[in-house]
Amino acid sequence: MSLDSGGIPAKSSLQKCFMIGSSVGKARRWLATLPARFQKHAGGGLAPCRVPAAQRRRTVHRQAFDYLMVWRLAPALVLLVCMKQLCCSKLVSATPMSALCPTRCRSPAQHWRRFGLVENRGLVVRRCTSSSIGDGLGAGANKPRFLPPLEQMKPLTLALPALDDKNILPCFPLPLAHAALPGQKRTLNIRERRYIKMFDDMLKSGRVRFVVPRLRFAWGQPPTRGAELAEFAVVFELSRAQQLPSSSRFRYTCEHKIAVKPVRIMQVLNPQVFGEEGTYLCVECHEVHDLDVGLDCSAEERALLDTLYEVVRLRAIAGDPLRRLELGVDAHGRPQVIDNHLLPTISEDSLGLTGSKREAVWELAALWQGYCERRAVSLRQQLERDLRGRPPDQVTKLKRHYNTEVSGLAGSTTDLMQWLLQADTHRSRLAALQAAADEEAQRLGAIAAIQAVVGGEANA
């Protein structure tokens, strides 16, 4: 495999990537082997590259656009993957290692754990690993942690502790698509008998706090099958409860404020009652405190805000296809007009009003979650536009493609929000948001670059 003067693969090798077709997985696997191919054909080491980084990036963009004009039949998705891989410094970079680390790692070992770096003759090869988001505790450290299935837990042999203990709280598990984050306000409509009983008990005793963990259902083979609660959760504090008339579908409409500190569920005291309708779960939990209190993270905070402002700029260049008004239905089945612009999102105004300090990072996470929700709505609207006038076979393929992209976006966003709850340092939360913002900036940059050459409408 030959290298041109810019330190990038020759055209014959890049053409293989574009000829792979619609198999994005094959393209990713082939691109992942490029660093090894460099070492093999350079005699076991990476020759120093004297071409400036900016010139190499311009060469990459120019060659990618040439290939776009030649390979018109190549799927656009594969093209985006290839441009993203070539433009995000996953190959050779002459930049010092300290400049590549957004969290200013203090040692090469710490940098390797976070970003997967290999040093060779003064150069750094950056490899994207599954543990690139998080605090560098290894593969899987950034994955949300769940308790064992409730059906497999053993109940306490002793009597259930009294709810007077501040660490013993009622539990209201919810499969929240829109994650609840500390500092927010939420309204719940209560109609299930078990939770009506829970609120009756709370109002009688004067207690206002209960735990709301994320609930998911695992459909694997026993003993992993069943309902699972997230190990880290938020605490709802009841601020107002309104009892509705008997003709209503709900018994209570309750307003809550979410506590600033997340909690870790240590154990479920009565897991056997989860399937019963007459009572509710109780858990023992403890507040999660940051381990890096007093540590200066101003550099990471500034880097995150700069990246988010860049995402806003690239989003404006690439265009926003979101249609503002839609016709939908409310919780009672009545038609209503939905204003999608009411969803929170990152913008110059919203970023100017918030910040990335320790006490404001949850507001920043909420803005990012709203941005991802707006993108999911844009994808659904884009699917509706693309389906017009399509034959049935293409309709099925398009729906499958869009559903995969939307479900992947929703899953990654929910997992990111859950991981932010279980992170025990402010720096690791900043690193997780930084990685997500970097990936979005690279995606929008590739879309804007392609639109500048071949044109086209705004893309979600």
Side-chain angles (χ1 to χ4, degrees), residues 84-400:
K84 175 183 173 182
Q85 298 289 335
L86 292 174
C87 298
C88 67
S89 302
K90 289 189 179 179
L91 302 182
V92 180
S93 173
T95 309
M97 180 180 63
S98 59
L100 281 178
C101 180
T103 57
R104 306 297 191 271
C105 295
R106 297 187 178 91
S107 66
Q110 185 181 14
H111 203 81
W112 160 256
R113 288 195 304 269
R114 291 193 178 188
F115 295 100
L117 296 178
V118 179
E119 298 182 6
N120 197 331
R121 295 188 183 181
L123 297 176
V124 177
V125 177
R126 180 168 181 173
R127 300 183 301 185
C128 183
T129 61
S130 60
S131 59
S132 60
I133 302 176
D135 53 0
L137 298 177
N142 59 314
K143 295 182 179 179
R145 288 155 57 179
F146 285 81
L147 299 173
L150 292 171
E151 291 80 358
Q152 309 301 325
M153 291 184 182
K154 295 182 180 180
L156 293 180
T157 56
L158 302 178
L160 189 66
L163 291 180
D164 296 336
D165 188 348
K166 65 177 183 179
N167 293 326
I168 306 298
L169 295 177
C171 181
F172 193 159
L174 289 173
L176 292 173
H178 179 87
L181 298 175
Q184 291 183 331
K185 295 182 179 180
R186 282 294 183 94
T187 300
L188 296 178
N189 296 314
I190 310 301
R191 68 174 180 178
E192 288 190 48
R193 189 152 59 94
R194 70 179 89 179
Y195 299 122
I196 292 176
K197 182 180 186 315
M198 185 185 83
F199 276 88
D200 287 339
D201 295 344
M202 290 173 56
L203 293 174
K204 290 179 182 177
S205 61
R207 294 173 61 89
V208 297
R209 292 164 54 89
F210 60 96
V211 179
V212 181
R214 176 184 168 189
L215 172 68
R216 76 174 185 184
F217 294 93
W219 304 109
Q221 298 297 324
T224 61
R225 179 184 300 171
E228 297 177 342
L229 303 182
E231 186 176 348
F232 294 81
V234 293
V235 174
F236 278 41
E237 298 177 349
L238 180 64
S239 57
R240 179 175 176 270
Q242 178 184 1
Q243 186 170 358
L244 301 178
S246 57
S247 59
S248 175
R249 295 173 57 191
F250 307 104
R251 174 68 65 86
Y252 293 108
T253 294
C254 303
E255 299 177 0
H256 309 83
K257 181 179 179 181
I258 304 178
V260 177
K261 295 289 185 182
V263 296
R264 181 179 184 180
I265 299 178
M266 309 307 296
Q267 62 175 335
V268 181
L269 303 179
N270 53 347
Q272 73 280 3
V273 305
F274 178 72
E276 301 177 8
E277 296 183 359
T279 187
Y280 51 90
L281 295 173
C282 290
V283 298
E284 178 186 356
C285 57
H286 297 278
E287 284 189 351
V288 178
H289 299 279
D290 287 350
L291 303 180
D292 60 347
V293 176
L295 185 65
D296 184 17
C297 300
S298 57
E300 294 88 342
E301 293 166 356
R302 287 194 300 269
L304 176 57
L305 284 178
D306 290 343
T307 306
L308 291 175
Y309 276 113
E310 180 68 9
V311 170
V312 173
R313 185 185 69 84
L314 292 173
R315 178 79 274 180
I317 294 175
D320 189 358
L322 180 67
R323 188 171 68 249
R324 178 175 180 175
L325 300 178
E326 287 186 303
L327 182 62
V329 294
D330 59 9
H332 301 280
R334 296 172 297 192
Q336 66 174 357
V337 177
I338 301 174
D339 188 354
N340 292 315
H341 282 192
L342 296 179
L343 291 172
T345 186
I346 56 174
S347 63
E348 292 186 358
D349 294 337
S350 62
L351 292 176
L353 293 175
T354 184
S356 55
K357 299 293 183 182
R358 190 180 302 271
E359 60 275 5
V361 69
W362 297 114
E363 299 178 15
L364 208 59
L367 292 178
W368 183 259
Q369 182 176 220
Y371 173 84
C372 295
E373 289 181 352
R374 285 168 64 103
R375 187 183 162 211
V377 175
S378 299
L379 286 171
R380 176 175 53 78
Q381 294 176 351
Q382 188 172 331
L383 172 62
E384 296 174 356
R385 292 191 295 267
D386 291 346
L387 291 181
R388 296 171 185 170
R390 299 274 185 172
D393 56 339
Q394 293 185 9
V395 168
T396 303
K397 293 181 181 180
L398 278 175
K399 285 185 177 180
R400 186 183 303 114

Side-chain angles (χ1 to χ4, degrees), residues 8-27:
I8 61 174
K11 286 188 177 182
S12 60
S13 298
L14 280 176
Q15 287 172 356
K16 296 179 183 178
C17 188
F18 287 97
M19 292 178 65
I20 288 176
S22 60
S23 178
V24 179
K26 291 182 180 179

